[in-house]
Amino acid sequence: MRTIHPQQVIKHKRDGLMLSEQEIQGFVQGVTDRSITDAQTAAFLMACFLRGLDAGELAALTSAMRVSGEVFDASPLSTFTVDKHSTGGVGDKTSLLIAPILAAAGVANKTPAGVPGICVPMISGRSLGHTGGTLDKLETIPGFDTQLTLARFAEVLRHCGACMIGQTPRLVPADRILYGLRDHTSTVESPYLITASIMSKKLAESLNALVLDVKVGSGAFMQREEDARLLARLMVETGTAAGARTVALLTKMAEPLGRYAGNWVEVLECVDILQGRRHPLSQDLIHLTNVLAGWMLHLAGDAASPEEGYLLSNKLLATGAAYKSWLEIVAAQGGDIAIFDHPETFHKPAASTTLFAETKGFLNVIDCTEVGWAVQRLGAGRAKPGDPVSAHAGIEVHAKIGERVKPGQPLVTLFAENEALLAEPLEMLRATYQIEPDRPADKPIVRDVIRA
Ligand code: URA
């Protein structure tokens, strides 16, 4: 690779010139091998933040970051790889349902070599800010190992059709360095840098297709629809340019998705659904799961349309095929599947309290981000990276936005490891769970679909 001069690259971006692929590749390589200083990287990030990146620059940055370390190679499996990524929400547990649904479709349609016809190589994250993390939820299952080697990851995929792990230290190291510096330089909220960060990690999974769930609303990182729409468009363009069939759905994040938000309680809700029960408060979760899985099945060629995919996903849930796959995946990753015989007995928070309606009217959730922070303060999330999380902390919602409620009706139950952790989150929820005289406007959960 031709040598680049970091100051020149920074100057070009600062002055609004377009960076060449070589400049971007050389810069990312220098960031990764630490020959470029943190001060230079910080200046580069700020220049990108202020100037933005055009489609070619964004594709080059994403690609250079993707290959900055080891990449999962799915080609020996000769299967169709598809994943879903959410930009983060409260109570968003669709990954726990989607992985086994797609795995069930894959094992029903094996390749001539006996590999599931569809595989979901899911590399997930931990809780971030007010949003929950798939790894923290899965790790509440005794024995469940999210730190598999890539060789074992491939083996589980070969047998089960899906595997859910955390990022390895060697996967996309450039993102770890860049993300750390973005956090310290106020350059996190750039749609261009977010796109390169998310897409470099997802494309390192060697994906044939990707469905993005871009959340919008008071509980999302992107609260304004125009920001979410730009991010969705950039991610779809970047995924498509990298050769993956990519679709983004803009979806509503105005209240916790489903019935629970937390760690084990979210697993509990998913197991309940996988075992064939459909609690009315889980309907939004089941619907969004089927929409996202429906798109994945469509992109994988198992359904002629996303609508047909929706019906197939729902059938795989209803027949217990997805539950069978769930048990296989959990067992293959070392988890104790016996707890799913009586999952409710495993939920043992030491303390709980309930918020009740004080007046009559219609429920509204003013600020869903505040609900996420309340869940985090109960112990389900982290104040800083590396903090432990509580398995049993979380909330159970008893009513949804727009529901008519009367005085004394329970709205939310809070769970924590001790009484002292309940008071502040209870007040936070009291401030945001409001009863209003008029029913708030109802909006569909899927706002739009963004395609290439
Ligand atoms: N999640 C990521 O992985 N990267 C970002 O930049 C933002 C959210």
Side-chain angles (χ1 to χ4, degrees), residues 70 81 85 99 109 129 156 178 181 201 214 221 286 288 292 316:
E70 73 182 347
T81 51
H85 177 80
N109 252 325
V156 176
L178 292 173
L181 283 167
K201 287 178 289 199
V214 180
F221 284 117
I286 297 169
L288 182 59
L292 294 167
L316 292 164

Side-chain angles (χ1 to χ4, degrees), residues 4 63 66 90 197 214 231 289 303 349 417:
I4 54 113
S63 159
R66 181 178 81 86
V90 181
S197 168
V214 180
L231 178 62
T289 297
E417 301 280 352

Side-chain angles (χ1 to χ4, degrees), residues 45-292:
L45 289 168
M46 187 55 85
C48 292
F49 184 97
L50 295 173
R51 290 285 185 183
L53 297 167
D54 82 353
E57 290 175 310
L58 190 49
L61 179 62
T62 306
S63 159
M65 288 169 66
R66 181 178 81 86
V67 298
S68 63
E70 73 182 347
V71 173
F72 174 63
D73 179 13
S75 57
L77 295 174
S78 298
T79 182
F80 190 93
T81 51
V82 57
D83 195 7
K84 184 248 9 164
H85 177 80
S86 154
T87 55
V90 181
D92 180 5
K93 52 197 88 69
T94 57
S95 291
L96 303 185
L97 296 169
I98 284 171
I101 289 170
L102 269 288
V107 293
N109 252 325
K110 288 198 173 162
T111 67
V115 178
I118 306 175
C119 281
V120 184
M122 196 177 268
I123 301 180
S124 302
R126 299 197 175 277
S127 71
L128 182 69
H130 72 282
T131 66
T134 300
L135 293 186
D136 296 319
K137 298 168 199 177
L138 288 169
E139 286 175 358
T140 63
I141 302 169
F144 195 99
D145 188 358
T146 59
Q147 305 301 306
L148 306 183
T149 61
L150 290 186
R152 178 70 190 140
F153 186 48
E155 248 176 71
V156 176
L157 287 170
R158 185 184 293 280
H159 287 107
C160 305
C163 187
M164 296 172 276
I165 61 166
Q167 219 188 326
T168 73
R170 284 178 298 164
L171 204 89
V172 196
D175 182 60
R176 221 182 314 278
I177 299 165
L178 292 173
Y179 197 87
L181 283 167
R182 282 169 60 206
D183 212 17
H184 287 115
T185 54
S186 291
T187 50
V188 169
E189 310 91 332
S190 154
Y192 306 95
L193 298 176
I194 294 175
T195 295
S197 168
I198 290 176
M199 296 303 287
S200 61
K201 287 178 289 199
K202 282 288 129 185
L203 295 169
E205 292 175 2
S206 175
L207 294 180
N208 298 118
L210 174 63
V211 174
L212 296 154
D213 179 6
V214 180
K215 304 283 188 197
V216 57
S218 72
F221 284 117
M222 298 282 162
Q223 302 204 347
R224 295 186 324 166
E225 187 153 330
E226 68 244 53
D227 296 335
R229 204 171 274 283
L230 171 63
L231 178 62
R233 187 173 60 70
L234 293 174
M235 291 201 290
V236 168
E237 282 171 6
T238 308
T240 307
R245 296 176 195 168
T246 312
V247 168
L249 277 72
L250 286 194
T251 73
K252 178 174 76 170
M253 178 38 66
E255 64 184 323
L257 188 62
R259 187 176 163 203
Y260 292 100
N263 290 320
W264 166 255
V265 284
E266 294 198 25
V267 177
L268 180 73
E269 180 172 7
C270 291
V271 169
D272 198 51
I273 295 165
L274 288 163
Q275 290 178 339
R277 287 176 289 277
R278 297 197 171 211
H279 194 285
L281 291 163
S282 295
Q283 283 311 323
D284 56 348
L285 167 66
I286 297 169
H287 173 62
L288 182 59
T289 297
N290 285 329
V291 172
L292 294 167

